Amino acid sequence: MFDKAVKEFLDYTENYKYLGKPILLKINHTLRVAHLCAQIAQALNLDFNNQNMAKLAGLFHDIGRFEQFKKYHTYADKDSIDHGDLGYEILKEKVFIDKDYEKTVFEAVKYHNKYNLDGISDRSKLICEIVRDADKIDILYLDALDKLITYNDNSLISDKVMEQINHQKQVLHTNLKTDADNIALHLSFVFDINFLSSLKLIKKEKYIMQIMDLYPNKELQQQFAKIKTNIDTYIEKREKDAR
Ligand SMILES: [Fe+2]
């Protein structure tokens, strides 16, 4: 069943490949996210149906991206359209998955990029939280490969952003001023991870250290050291709470 859905996904995205590299990057991102969703769902010991829904939600979470890029030539929602909402509309029109799974998967897709999950049903919430974790993990993976973040201004992390990190909170987009703030935002994803198994994956792959190592600016490295301490304490606490 999942393999059939992958085929549907690949057939659908085939029509967008002429738009070039940004589309290929999204296809690859999606396939990795679906795989990560499977890993997380398994680590959570979910039943067969929930594991399937997690994989499907991962596979279709960014289905709105292709039409978004075709129409607006950007992936920035603020300059175009909410890609979660658009994905939801596309899924309602196309027959990609089993009827039994539709409601949950569609809802998870709609909400995967929302600021909060108010209004989502409990069953969809769990699946949506898995997708959100997987999405963040893949962004950290790409960051570690130096494929996402632009750091051109040799900047430092601004005070407000550091303050949020000291409170172990994910940095708000509205506080971003410099390129370094953007790195800090990505590092702060850790504080918004839902499941311990996701945190363990980030820790195991050493994404945080790899990202920090990419930027040799000495003062920035001092700020990173503080962030690292915060992240380590945060993960330790989550591990302890789970025991
Ligand atoms: Fe995504």
Side-chain angles (χ1 to χ4, degrees), residues 18-54:
Y18 74 94
L19 292 163
K21 211 175 159 195
I23 297 292
L24 297 180
L25 290 175
K26 253 335 153 199
I27 295 173
N28 291 332
H29 160 72
T30 296
L31 296 172
R32 287 193 304 268
V33 166
H35 180 68
L36 285 163
C37 285
Q39 272 181 275
I40 300 168
Q42 205 175 22
L44 291 172
N45 271 325
L46 299 190
D47 62 29
F48 177 79
N49 283 333
N50 275 305
Q51 289 206 25
N52 268 333
M53 284 193 285

Side-chain angles (χ1 to χ4, degrees), residues 62 78 142 158 167 188 193 213 223-224 230 240:
D62 270 348
K78 65 172 176 34
L142 288 170
S158 36
H167 286 104
S188 76
I193 289 288
D213 283 348
Q223 290 184 308
F224 281 162
N230 262 304
K240 214 172 129 197

Side-chain angles (χ1 to χ4, degrees), residues 29 61-62 112 135:
H29 160 72
H61 82 285
D62 270 348
H112 88 272
D135 213 3

Side-chain angles (χ1 to χ4, degrees), residues 94-131:
K94 312 250 174 214
V95 187
F96 282 133
I97 53 174
D98 278 23
K99 267 260 171 285
D100 301 350
Y101 295 157
E102 272 185 0
K103 189 177 177 279
T104 303
V105 174
F106 290 7
E107 244 189 334
V109 170
K110 185 179 167 75
Y111 282 91
H112 88 272
N113 63 335
K114 299 295 182 281
Y115 181 67
N116 66 52
L117 296 182
D118 295 347
I120 195 170
S121 65
D122 280 348
R123 188 171 182 181
S124 309
K125 193 175 172 199
L126 168 71
I127 303 299
C128 190
E129 284 175 343
I130 294 175
V131 174

